[in-house]
């Protein structure tokens, strides 16, 4: 959510604030936020967003790539486990 | 081995459904929501049958599996987490500064949960979390601020209105919009209420950035159209000669995006300060 709001504030003309320079002062801090943007969005956030990820917290890592990793890990793991 | 076996059974089930859910979403099959709801219901029912010791084993085993997933699988899409970048001394100092900032602001994010965050993590008086006292008082106490610094709050969350509050720290010349993460069933629904939308960030002749909608559900389009008077264009507008970047193209958590737009519209009229800081703490209880 914070990522979205920060994004909207950054790409918006922000005429509500009367001064587009104020956009530079917007900063979002997220704690364990799930990923919702792709890599192409990263330049928009540069210098405006700090995301805290606690070690291997599942939520901020749960995207299509990590789910594919999990799928591969399960398959690999199952090969080495005897029931 | 029992722990790993149980974990494998659980995660295999969850992982398979989760992967299918994502694929389902990507391919536009309308059964995805039903599949996810069914998956959550099954997990809830299964967890009721488990004792605390079994739940702990599962969680512990799940953590082990995450370690395996991150560090020991050569086929990882993003590579192992042990591939940490080597930081220069200057970068180390910068990282310490960022950590100090995050440490300062996290008490506001945690405070948005109220006392229930203490009950849950301590394991004591859990039932009190179901009957909270004054949420504003709880937030002020946990965030360690004066009551006057909390200028607005709305703790009743629904799918398009996450619990949030506004704090003004005059001495720091900061205004914070604090958004609570997942704490209620309605917060989970937030992630399930919308489909995906494809955006572009456009830049006009004056260098001003604005949004362009490439595709998506009509409802979302209408919501976003309400954001701005003139700068948001329709997908079939071909008269724009600006470079653009593709954003949010079929990614998860589209519902959060929609809720973010709703919240943005709501709070923008309340905020007119020079600096805005926005927080979120996302936890799954």
């Amino acid at each position: 959510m914070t990522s979205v709001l920060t994004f909207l504030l950054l790409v918006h003309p922000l005429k509500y604030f009367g001064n587009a320079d104020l956009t530079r002062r917007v900063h979002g801090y997220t704690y364990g936020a799930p990923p919702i943007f792709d890599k192409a969005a990263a330049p928009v956030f540069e210098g405006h967003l700090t995301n805290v990820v606690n070690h291997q917290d599942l939520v901020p890592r749960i995207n299509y790539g990590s789910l594919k990793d999990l799928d591969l890990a399960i398959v690999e793991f199952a090969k080495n486990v005897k029931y | 081995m029992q722990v790993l076996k149980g974990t494998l059974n659980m995660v295999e089930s969850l992982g398979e459904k989760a992967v299918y859910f994502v694929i389902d979403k990507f391919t536009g099959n309308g059964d995805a929501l039903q599949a996810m709801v069914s998956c959550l219901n099954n997990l809830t029912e299964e967890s009721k049958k488990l004792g605390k010791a079994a739940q702990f084993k599962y969680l512990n085993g799940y953590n082990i599996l995450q370690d395996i997933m991150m560090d020991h699988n050569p086929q990882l899409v993003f590579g192992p987490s042990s591939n940490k970048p080597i930081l220069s001394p200057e970068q180390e100092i910068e990282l310490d500064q960022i950590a100090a900032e995050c440490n300062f602001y996290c008490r506001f994010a945690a405070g948005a949960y109220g006392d229930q965050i203490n009950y849950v993590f301590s394991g004591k008086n859990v039932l009190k979390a179901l009957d909270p006292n004054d949420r504003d008082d709880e937030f002020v106490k946990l965030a360690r601020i004066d009551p006057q610094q909390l200028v607005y709050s709305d703790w009743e969350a629904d799918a398009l209105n996450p619990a949030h509050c506004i704090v003004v720290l005059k001495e720091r010349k900061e205004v914070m919009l604090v958004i609570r993460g997942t704490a209620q069933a309605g917060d989970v629904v937030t992630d399930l209420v919308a489909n995906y939308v494809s955006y572009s960030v456009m830049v006009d002749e004056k260098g001003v950035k604005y949004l362009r909608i490439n595709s998506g559900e009509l409802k979302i389009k209408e919501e976003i159209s309400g954001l701005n008077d003139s700068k948001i264009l329709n997908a079939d507008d071909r008269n724009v000669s600006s470079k653009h970047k593709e954003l949010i193209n079929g990614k998860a958590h589209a519902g959060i995006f929609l809720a973010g737009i709703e919240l943005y519209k709501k709070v923008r009229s309340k905020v007119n300060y020079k600096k805005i800081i926005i927080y979120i703490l996302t936890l799954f209880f």
Side-chain angles (χ1 to χ4, degrees):
Chain A
M1 191 70 68
T2 303
S3 313
V4 173
L5 285 164
T6 306
F7 173 77
L8 290 172
L9 289 166
L10 291 173
V11 299
H12 224 262
L14 279 183
K15 56 187 175 186
Y16 312 102
F17 296 90
N19 186 345
D21 289 339
L22 297 178
T23 308
R24 299 195 193 98
R25 303 185 186 182
V26 174
H27 200 107
Y29 289 85
T30 69
Y31 295 85
I36 59 169
F37 291 95
D38 59 15
K39 195 174 180 180
V44 176
F45 288 106
E46 192 170 359
H48 292 282
L49 189 70
T50 304
N51 187 19
V52 179
V53 177
N54 182 20
H55 195 48
Q56 295 183 358
D57 183 4
L58 176 70
V59 175
R61 299 178 187 280
I62 192 163
N63 53 42
Y64 182 73
S66 62
L67 286 172
K68 288 296 290 181
D69 284 345
L70 182 61
D71 194 29
L72 290 170
I74 290 169
V75 172
E76 193 71 20
F77 192 57
K79 291 177 183 174
N80 302 308
V81 174
K82 293 180 180 179
Y83 292 100
Chain B
M1 182 54 73
Q2 285 300 315
V3 173
L4 292 177
K5 181 181 173 185
T7 300
L8 184 63
N9 288 337
M10 184 188 72
V11 177
E12 188 173 16
S13 172
L14 175 63
E16 183 185 15
K17 288 175 182 174
V19 170
Y20 284 139
F21 172 71
V22 172
I23 293 173
D24 213 18
K25 277 285 190 185
F26 269 75
T27 55
N29 189 322
D31 295 334
L33 177 63
Q34 186 58 42
M36 193 64 173
V37 171
S38 174
C39 174
L40 289 171
N41 285 338
N42 291 340
L43 287 172
T44 304
E45 288 303 315
E46 289 173 14
S47 65
K48 285 178 182 176
K49 300 172 186 173
L50 300 174
K52 290 190 181 303
Q55 289 179 3
F56 177 77
K57 281 183 179 179
Y58 277 177
L59 288 172
N60 189 41
Y62 190 69
N63 187 260
I64 294 171
L65 192 65
Q66 279 190 301
D67 286 342
I68 294 170
M69 181 182 100
M70 296 302 297
D71 291 330
H72 303 293
N73 185 353
Q75 301 180 68
L76 288 178
V77 174
F78 296 112
S81 62
S82 55
N83 286 348
K84 294 176 182 174
I86 300 173
L87 300 178
S88 67
E90 293 78 15
Q91 287 174 319
E92 292 280 4
I93 293 171
E94 185 184 359
L95 194 61
D96 287 343
Q97 291 171 343
I98 292 172
E101 284 180 12
C102 293
N103 192 40
F104 172 78
Y105 294 123
C106 77
R107 72 180 193 234
F108 296 94
Y113 283 89
D115 283 346
Q116 65 171 310
I117 199 163
N118 290 333
Y119 299 142
V120 170
F121 285 126
S122 68
K124 298 177 181 176
N125 301 323
V126 174
L127 291 178
K128 283 187 179 179
L130 302 176
D131 186 22
N133 297 318
D134 189 306
R135 296 300 311 275
D136 285 354
D137 286 347
E138 292 180 1
F139 176 80
V140 165
K141 183 182 67 176
L142 291 167
R144 285 174 268 160
I145 59 174
D146 294 330
Q148 296 82 1
Q149 292 176 302
L150 177 63
V151 297
Y152 175 79
S153 67
D154 181 0
W155 303 116
E156 296 301 321
D158 60 40
L160 294 181
N161 183 49
H164 61 284
C165 67
I166 298 176
V167 176
V168 177
L169 298 179
K170 289 184 178 178
E171 68 277 13
R172 295 172 63 96
K173 296 182 179 178
E174 291 177 0
V175 176
M176 286 181 286
L177 170 60
V178 184
I179 306 167
R180 192 190 64 195
T182 305
Q184 301 172 346
D187 299 323
V188 179
V189 175
T190 295
D191 197 32
L192 302 173
V193 294
N195 282 319
Y196 309 118
V197 60
S198 176
Y199 278 88
S200 294
V201 175
M202 312 295 289
V203 184
D204 67 11
E205 298 76 14
K206 297 178 181 177
V208 178
K209 293 177 180 176
Y210 59 96
L211 294 175
R212 173 178 152 176
I213 303 159
N214 298 324
S215 62
E217 293 294 309
L218 179 61
K219 182 183 176 186
I220 297 177
K221 193 184 225 177
E222 289 171 348
E223 296 289 343
I224 296 169
S225 296
L227 281 174
N228 192 279
D229 300 331
S230 59
K231 287 293 183 183
I232 297 177
L233 306 177
N234 292 321
D236 56 354
D237 188 340
R238 305 297 181 192
N239 298 321
V240 179
S241 56
S242 304
K243 63 179 180 179
H244 67 279
K245 301 183 181 77
E246 292 296 325
L247 300 172
I248 316 172
N249 189 10
K251 294 296 179 287
H253 298 287
I256 292 176
F257 190 84
L258 184 60
I261 291 169
E262 279 292 314
L263 191 59
Y264 173 75
K265 287 196 293 186
K266 182 176 178 181
V267 302
R268 74 180 186 199
S269 61
K270 302 179 186 300
V271 179
N272 188 21
Y273 293 89
K274 290 187 175 180
K275 186 173 182 179
I276 297 175
I277 297 178
I278 308 165
Y279 304 88
I280 186 170
L281 176 62
T282 305
L283 291 174
F284 282 81
F285 292 143

